[in-house]
């Protein structure tokens, strides 16, 4: 077993908490950072800046430095809301420029196997926004995974009785894929070809 310093062991432990970082990648990243003290300081500073400056918008639950965020305050179509799983999915939708309404981030998807229940997602907050009566269409842009589809189905059952049109991104987005990794042209086609549920 490699004998390394306590602080380096701690850094490796933190790096391994990141998605898809295992032992080898953590070591590679840590040693890369150690080679350049400037990079290490810049990374440490930007981590602190993000910790202190970035928060979730209290309306849409996207990431923002000012609350409410610019997507909630700039002039956009108030009659439609696009529901996504994660804040980064908003970026995927905005890249394709086909959607002009507001957003709502659930912060996850229903997954009974992993113990994710409706109460753990921002569903109650979504319903509160819909109660104001401005919204005519909810576009469900949850991922095309088992969890994303189950969440879309669950939301459809909740929203349809409110006489609000519920639509889903058209297929064409590969089954099993996360929205954030789909190219902009494909997302644009999926938005334009959305179908009512
Ligand atoms: Zn917002």
């Amino acid at each position: 077993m490699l004998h390394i310093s306590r602080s380096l062991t701690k850094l490796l432990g933190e790096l391994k908490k990141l998605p898809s970082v295992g032992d080898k990648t953590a070591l590679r990243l840590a040693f890369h950072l150690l080679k350049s003290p400037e990079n290490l300081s810049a990374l440490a500073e930007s981590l602190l800046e993000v910790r202190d400056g970035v928060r979730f918008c209290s309306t849409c639950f996207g990431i923002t430095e000012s609350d409410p965020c610019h997507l909630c305050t700039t002039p956009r179509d108030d009659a439609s809301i696009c529901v996504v799983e994660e804040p980064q999915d908003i970026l995927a939708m905005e890249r394709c420029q086909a959607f002009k309404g507001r957003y709502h981030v659930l912060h996850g998807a229903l997954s009974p196997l992993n113990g994710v229940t409706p109460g753990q997602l921002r569903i109650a907050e979504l319903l509160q926004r819909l109660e104001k009566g401005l919204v005519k269409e909810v576009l469900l842009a949850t991922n095309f995974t088992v969890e994303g589809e189950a969440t879309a189905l669950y939301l459809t059952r909740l929203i349809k009785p409110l006489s609000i049109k519920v639509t889903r991104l058209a297929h064409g987005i590969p089954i099993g894929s996360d929205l954030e990794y789909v190219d902009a042209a494909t997302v644009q086609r999926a938005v334009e070809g959305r179908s009512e549920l």
Side-chain angles (χ1 to χ4, degrees), residues 57-62 64 67-72 103:
C57 171
S58 60
T59 304
C60 70
F61 300 96
T64 182
D67 186 20
C69 73
H70 78 280
L71 286 168
C72 287
Y103 288 98

Side-chain angles (χ1 to χ4, degrees), residues 60 89 167:
C60 70
D89 296 332
T167 55

Side-chain angles (χ1 to χ4, degrees), residues 108-168:
L110 292 177
S111 176
L113 286 177
N114 296 314
V116 182
T117 59
Q120 287 161 273
L121 305 178
R122 299 289 186 182
I123 292 176
E125 290 87 347
L126 172 65
L127 295 177
Q128 273 170 20
R129 291 178 75 183
L130 299 181
E131 273 168 17
K132 291 179 187 151
L134 284 173
V135 178
K136 305 280 175 257
E137 178 186 353
V138 174
L139 169 57
L140 299 174
T142 50
N143 293 332
F144 286 91
T145 54
V146 174
E147 291 82 9
E149 296 283 14
T151 308
L153 186 66
Y154 179 84
L155 290 176
T156 304
R157 288 192 186 133
L158 283 181
I159 298 167
K160 268 198 128 174
L162 308 174
S163 303
I164 294 171
K165 189 163 119 182
V166 182
T167 55
R168 180 88 171 110

Side-chain angles (χ1 to χ4, degrees), residues 20-186:
S20 40
V21 175
D23 287 326
K24 267 190 183 170
T25 309
L27 265 178
R28 196 158 49 84
L29 291 173
F31 280 103
H32 176 79
L33 288 168
L34 281 174
K35 270 195 284 190
S36 153
E38 304 82 50
N39 285 352
L40 200 53
S41 307
L43 179 64
E45 268 167 37
S46 80
L47 287 174
L48 292 176
E49 236 174 80
V50 165
R51 183 196 66 186
D52 297 336
V54 176
R55 66 196 106 162
F56 295 122
C57 171
S58 60
T59 304
C60 70
F61 300 96
I63 281 171
T64 182
E65 289 191 8
S66 58
D67 186 20
C69 73
H70 78 280
L71 286 168
C72 287
T73 47
T74 50
R76 290 178 73 101
D77 177 18
D78 284 310
S80 54
I81 286 190
C82 174
V83 176
V84 294
E85 290 182 21
E86 301 295 344
Q88 60 268 35
D89 296 332
I90 293 181
L91 300 180
M93 290 295 294
E94 284 296 287
R95 264 202 310 266
C96 84
Q97 297 185 328
F99 180 75
K100 306 291 179 208
R102 305 289 179 190
Y103 288 98
H104 192 87
V105 184
L106 296 171
H107 285 271
L110 292 177
S111 176
L113 286 177
N114 296 314
V116 182
T117 59
Q120 287 161 273
L121 305 178
R122 299 289 186 182
I123 292 176
E125 290 87 347
L126 172 65
L127 295 177
Q128 273 170 20
R129 291 178 75 183
L130 299 181
E131 273 168 17
K132 291 179 187 151
L134 284 173
V135 178
K136 305 280 175 257
E137 178 186 353
V138 174
L139 169 57
L140 299 174
T142 50
N143 293 332
F144 286 91
T145 54
V146 174
E147 291 82 9
E149 296 283 14
T151 308
L153 186 66
Y154 179 84
L155 290 176
T156 304
R157 288 192 186 133
L158 283 181
I159 298 167
K160 268 198 128 174
L162 308 174
S163 303
I164 294 171
K165 189 163 119 182
V166 182
T167 55
R168 180 88 171 110
L169 289 182
H171 285 282
I173 292 192
I175 305 293
S177 63
D178 283 6
L179 200 58
E180 61 175 309
Y181 301 122
V182 180
D183 67 282
T186 305

